[in-house]
Amino acid sequence: MPTITFAQSSGATTEITVAEGTSLMRAAVTNSVDGIVGECGGQAMCATCHVYVRPEFTDQLLELSDDEDEMLDCTTAERTDSSRLGCQIKMSPALMNIVVDVPADQV
Amino acid sequence: MDAKRAEHTVIIGAGQAGIQVADSLRAEGYPGAVTVLNDESADPYQRPPLSKDYLSTAAEGTALPLRGPDFFESKNITLHSGRAVAVDTDARKVSLDGGTVLDYTHLVFATGAANRPLSCPGATLEGVHALRTLRDAQNLQRALATAQRVVVIGAGFIGLEFAAAAHARGLEVTVLEFASRPMGRALSATASQWFAERHRTDGIDLRLNEGVTSIERDEAGLVVISTTGRRYPADLVLYGVGVLPRTEVPQAAGVATDNGVLVDAALRTSVPGVLAVGDCASFPNVHTGTRTRLESVQNATDQGRHAARSIMGENSSYAQLPWFWSTQGALRLQIAGISEPTDEPVILGDPSSGKFSIALLRNGALAAVESVNSPADHIAARKLVGQNISVDPATLTHPSFSLKALAKTLIPVPS
């Protein structure tokens, strides 16, 4: 099963193994990962599950939808080229050992 | 009050607002004990997906928790199963249904709202559902698996979200609404007419100006009888006819209520040491100048954060801009601000494309923006609405105009 590693700005990391199809936001919220809020419940409405995907995994991600792209403009922490919404990343074999950095602020 | 009493905040209600108060108290460095009372059997969960993703065939089948299982212990927050039945505000004690009595220094009502019951004959027949709790959603999941014909009573957010989800599962869906347009309480007439047409085009039988007089059961199943005398056979009936704030306990305790628990700008009630947040709180709305009670995730979480700061001794006014969303099948509605029937609607973009916004002007200023499948407009609107920005309709409808560009020119880019 795919594994997600969440890296905090403090240097602490959390590794979570999840079923395929699980969203990165859901994995974080159900496992108490600090810094991922998911306030809207996964509908790309609140931008509180913002993550920075490590460059080696960005090619494997599905392309940004227009909705996600537009919502990323309202993240609290700075948006970069590697910014994504965790609720829009669904785990698949291609993302087997994805590593993401959690921003310092979400709200 | 005993000056030596140990600092203890008791929060009644483990929904989005109540859990947020507890979380924010710890984030603000609150030193005392924190107890959240949960009167549902499930651990605290998110409600918005229950009327959307949870009911679609692609559902993961489990509720999304509000916080993970380690959260409460790691933040030293006690999640206590039980229902508050009485509060003695002089002695600062909360009595629970199991007989437990908790002393508090601060008490927060985050009791939320309950569905307004359907009052017609037959309202309690088996197969007639409401949707608010996880248990409701689980019952609906099971019922949807075998149903073919669905009648929805009430074309508000819940009714239409459910209707779209049921239709997407291939069911025949009829929606009965006694008012002349859907979502009339929350949306401008222009937007609600667009949604009515769109749902009909998609295949939902939306009937306006048609209420329900009774529900019967015959050999074939349920029959919903409408105010026009029509009979609608159904295997499943879902009603969403508004909500009532849960104010029984605060009212009995002598806390002032009037369509909600009355709070001041810092979210404090009429009784010292007692606050209220979220769906149950009626607060002075700085954006409209009137008292408002809002049922939304944004309001619940932002008020939760604010109440925590009030408990920490800050005396500031709650002023967050209200925003809302609804997803109805592929339609994504986002609203910033609160519109009034007299606002002037100006359409931005082309509604026939399925992607547009409606700016609502009040005295020439931007008072609210409703966006359909246009998150960029919505995000810009959240920055613009509430700043009393004067706009000319001719400027708004110019082909080169964008709310995003306007937001950028007016708001300094953070460094």
Side-chain angles (χ1 to χ4, degrees):
Chain A
M1 288 206 289
T3 297
I4 310 167
T5 301
F6 295 90
Q8 304 286 344
S9 47
S10 65
T13 60
T14 314
E15 199 180 297
I16 296 168
T17 302
V18 296
E20 273 179 38
T22 307
S23 80
L24 197 139
M25 180 278 290
R26 178 179 272 264
V29 169
T30 51
N31 289 281
S32 296
V33 174
D34 273 343
I36 306 283
V37 181
E39 202 158 275
C40 76
Q43 298 176 320
M45 293 288 177
C46 66
T48 62
C49 61
H50 178 205
V51 292
Y52 302 113
V53 177
R54 294 269 172 98
E56 57 270 36
F57 302 98
T58 47
D59 285 352
Q60 280 88 276
L61 293 173
L62 294 178
E63 241 177 272
L64 266 181
S65 69
D66 289 348
D67 283 357
E68 184 183 352
D69 186 21
E70 293 179 6
M71 287 306 293
L72 279 168
D73 282 341
C74 75
T75 55
T76 302
E78 186 200 358
R79 178 182 182 174
T80 71
D81 289 344
S82 61
S83 288
R84 295 298 295 252
L85 294 182
C87 66
Q88 302 302 299
I89 300 176
K90 299 283 195 297
M91 293 309 293
S92 67
L95 298 172
M96 201 45 104
N97 297 304
I98 189 170
V99 181
V100 301
D101 292 295
V102 179
D105 301 299
Q106 290 287 12
V107 288
Chain B
M1 188 182 88
D2 178 4
K4 285 185 195 153
R5 174 178 292 219
E7 186 67 38
H8 181 198
T9 295
V10 174
I11 300 156
I12 304 180
Q16 205 111 23
I19 297 296
Q20 188 64 55
V21 175
D23 195 349
S24 295
L25 278 172
R26 288 296 179 234
E28 298 280 335
Y30 181 71
V34 176
T35 300
V36 184
L37 301 181
N38 180 14
D39 68 358
E40 288 189 46
S41 54
D43 283 338
Y45 56 87
Q46 303 210 1
R47 284 187 208 282
L50 297 183
S51 54
K52 309 172 186 83
D53 296 356
Y54 188 86
L55 295 175
S56 77
T57 44
E60 289 179 55
T62 51
L64 185 62
L66 272 169
R67 300 289 188 277
D70 305 339
F71 169 82
F72 297 95
E73 200 184 335
S74 70
K75 305 281 181 189
N76 193 20
I77 294 165
T78 305
L79 185 63
H80 190 107
S81 287
R83 194 166 57 84
V85 290
V87 176
D88 180 338
T89 58
D90 291 330
R92 298 207 179 196
K93 287 178 188 295
V94 184
S95 303
L96 310 190
D97 52 354
T100 306
V101 177
L102 300 173
D103 290 328
Y104 69 83
T105 49
H106 294 88
L107 181 72
V108 182
F109 285 108
T111 46
N115 287 327
R116 185 186 293 276
L118 192 62
S119 56
C120 71
T124 56
L125 284 171
E126 198 186 330
V128 179
H129 297 255
L131 175 51
R132 181 153 202 94
T133 64
L134 178 60
R135 181 165 295 175
D136 294 336
Q138 287 163 340
N139 289 338
L140 276 166
Q141 267 281 22
R142 278 192 290 274
L144 279 168
T146 55
Q148 289 179 329
R149 292 165 306 181
V150 171
V151 171
V152 175
I153 300 170
F157 285 163
I158 288 287
L160 289 176
E161 288 172 5
F162 176 80
H167 181 70
R169 293 177 65 139
L171 308 185
E172 248 178 67
V173 181
T174 304
V175 180
L176 302 176
E177 167 59 53
F178 79 92
S180 59
R181 57 191 183 88
M183 301 177 281
R185 207 164 52 91
L187 268 195
S188 71
T190 311
S192 77
Q193 278 149 15
W194 186 89
F195 271 88
E197 280 170 33
R198 184 58 189 261
H199 281 303
R200 283 175 176 151
T201 307
D202 287 348
I204 290 172
D205 185 8
L206 171 61
R207 292 172 177 258
L208 303 170
N209 301 304
E210 195 167 337
V212 170
T213 53
S214 63
I215 305 171
E216 293 171 1
R217 177 175 283 287
D218 65 19
E219 314 80 61
L222 294 166
V223 183
V224 178
I225 297 143
S226 84
T227 47
T228 63
R230 286 196 194 87
R231 297 171 67 84
Y232 297 94
D235 313 305
L236 188 171
V237 174
L238 182 281
Y239 67 91
V241 293
V243 302
L244 299 168
R246 290 176 61 185
T247 57
E248 309 83 354
V249 175
Q251 207 173 352
V255 176
T257 62
D258 178 16
N259 179 33
V261 182
L262 297 177
V263 293
D264 67 11
L267 307 178
R268 301 187 192 103
T269 70
S270 60
V271 173
V274 181
L275 299 91
V277 291
D279 287 16
C280 73
S282 170
F283 66 98
N285 187 335
V286 296
H287 300 283
T288 59
T290 55
R291 253 187 195 284
T292 309
R293 199 174 56 71
L294 294 174
E295 298 142 23
S296 73
V297 167
Q298 171 275 324
N299 183 64
T301 52
D302 283 336
Q303 288 198 340
R305 294 182 185 107
H306 198 92
R309 290 194 291 271
S310 290
I311 290 169
M312 293 297 286
E314 197 179 302
N315 188 22
S316 60
S317 295
Y318 179 76
Q320 295 292 327
L321 180 79
W323 60 270
F324 312 85
W325 84 86
S326 175
T327 51
Q328 299 167 19
L331 305 176
R332 178 185 175 86
L333 168 67
Q334 292 165 290
I335 306 169
I338 296 176
S339 64
E340 287 174 9
T342 49
D343 292 343
E344 180 192 353
V346 179
I347 297 174
L348 313 180
D350 177 9
S352 68
S353 71
K355 185 178 165 76
F356 67 101
S357 293
I358 296 170
L360 293 144
L361 309 187
R362 201 174 302 157
N363 305 319
L366 193 62
V369 175
E370 301 164 335
S371 300
V372 179
N373 297 329
S374 303
D377 281 356
H378 173 68
I379 294 310
R382 266 155 63 177
K383 294 171 183 159
L384 294 166
V385 171
Q387 299 210 45
N388 206 27
I389 292 166
S390 290
V391 278
D392 174 15
T395 307
L396 290 176
T397 52
H398 192 276
S400 68
F401 176 80
S402 97
L403 281 171
K404 193 172 168 179
L406 178 64
K408 278 198 177 136
T409 61
L410 288 173
I411 293 149
V413 179
S415 54

